[in-house]
Amino acid sequence: MKIRNFLVSLPLVFISTGCSTINYTEPKTGDLSRVRFATNETAVIVIRAYETTECTSETEWMRLRNGMLINSSPKSLGIPLQNYNRNAFKEFYISSNTEKVVMFVGTSSTGNKLFSCGVPLNLKFLEKNKDYELFYQLDVNSCSVTASEIQKSPSGEIIKKKLKDYSNSQEGFGEACVALFKKQRLY
C-alpha cells in the first residue's frame, strides 16, 4: 500500500480517472477461457496487462467502477452469476495457453492523502472452455483479487468456486515487473 500526500483537486481526479475505454483485443481462435473482471469499489480500478512474465509492453486494458464512468464501454459475454453495475465489470475471451501478467490498481483518498494499492497476478491458471471471475477489493491497509471458477455444482446449480486470493504482495515477480508495479502514476 502506498500513501501519497498532495492536495486533491476534484475536477482533476474526475477527469483523470473517469474515462473508461477498452484497450484489449480478444483472441478469436485457440484455447480460450471467458474471464470476468469485476469490482464493487466506487473508486476507479485500472487494469494493466503485460505481454510477458517479465512485464514487457505494458498496456491499460480497462477501467472499472461501481458507478458512473465517462465514455463507458460495457462488455458482457453472458457469464453466469453477474450481479454488478454495468461499469463495474467487463467480460473477455482470454487465451488459456499463454502466461499473461495483469495488475489491478485501485485508489482512494482521505483528506489530502491518496491511497493506492495494486494486485499483480499471473493468469497461467486459466483452463480452456471454462468461466472465471477476478474480483478486486480495496480495504483500509490492503487490497486483494479473488479468483473464482464459475461452474456447475454436482446438483446442477451454477456456483462460484474460489480458487485463490491474491494480495498486493509482489513476491514471485522479477525486478522488471516490480519496478513497473511500483511506478508512481497519476491515474
Side-chain angles (χ1 to χ4, degrees):
M1 175 75 79
K2 294 185 218 172
I3 301 175
R4 299 184 205 140
N5 285 317
F6 67 99
L7 294 175
V8 177
S9 168
L10 186 57
L12 177 61
V13 171
F14 182 72
I15 290 168
S16 66
T17 62
C19 295
S20 171
T21 58
I22 297 173
N23 294 319
Y24 172 68
T25 304
E26 291 179 283
K28 303 290 184 204
T29 61
D31 295 337
L32 304 175
S33 301
R34 297 189 316 171
V35 180
R36 176 186 302 130
F37 297 84
T39 189
N40 274 333
E41 299 297 326
T42 56
V44 174
I45 307 306
V46 177
I47 301 171
R48 292 187 176 87
Y50 306 90
E51 276 303 309
T52 67
T53 55
E54 290 81 33
C55 294
T56 58
S57 302
E58 178 184 82
T59 57
E60 182 180 306
W61 269 5
M62 68 191 89
R63 292 181 179 214
L64 306 173
R65 181 172 186 254
N66 187 11
M68 187 185 91
L69 279 174
I70 296 172
N71 192 26
S72 180
S73 306
K75 175 80 169 87
S76 176
L77 297 174
I79 297 173
L81 303 179
Q82 188 292 104
N83 59 352
Y84 302 103
N85 173 293
R86 70 185 208 103
N87 295 321
F89 81 98
K90 294 189 183 347
E91 298 174 347
F92 295 101
Y93 287 103
I94 306 280
S95 292
S96 53
N97 58 358
T98 59
E99 288 188 75
K100 189 164 294 276
V101 175
V102 297
M103 183 169 67
F104 289 69
V105 180
T107 58
S108 65
S109 62
T110 303
N112 66 346
K113 295 185 187 299
L114 180 67
F115 302 92
S116 175
C117 192
V119 178
L121 60 120
N122 191 321
L123 298 179
K124 65 184 175 184
F125 64 86
L126 299 177
E127 295 181 39
K128 68 179 181 176
N129 301 323
K130 292 191 176 184
D131 292 340
Y132 296 93
E133 179 179 277
L134 301 174
F135 181 80
Y136 176 89
Q137 55 193 14
L138 179 63
D139 296 317
V140 175
N141 292 315
S142 65
C143 55
S144 64
V145 170
T146 300
S148 301
E149 182 182 339
I150 299 172
Q151 59 181 225
K152 283 189 179 180
S153 71
S155 66
E157 178 185 8
I158 304 288
I159 60 168
K160 285 184 192 177
K161 177 184 175 192
K162 183 171 152 181
L163 300 175
K164 183 174 180 177
D165 283 323
Y166 293 88
S167 71
N168 55 329
S169 168
Q170 297 160 5
E171 189 175 314
F173 291 94
E175 288 181 29
C177 290
V178 172
L180 285 170
F181 299 159
K182 291 182 176 181
K183 182 178 176 182
Q184 289 192 8
R185 308 160 196 264
L186 180 60
Y187 298 88

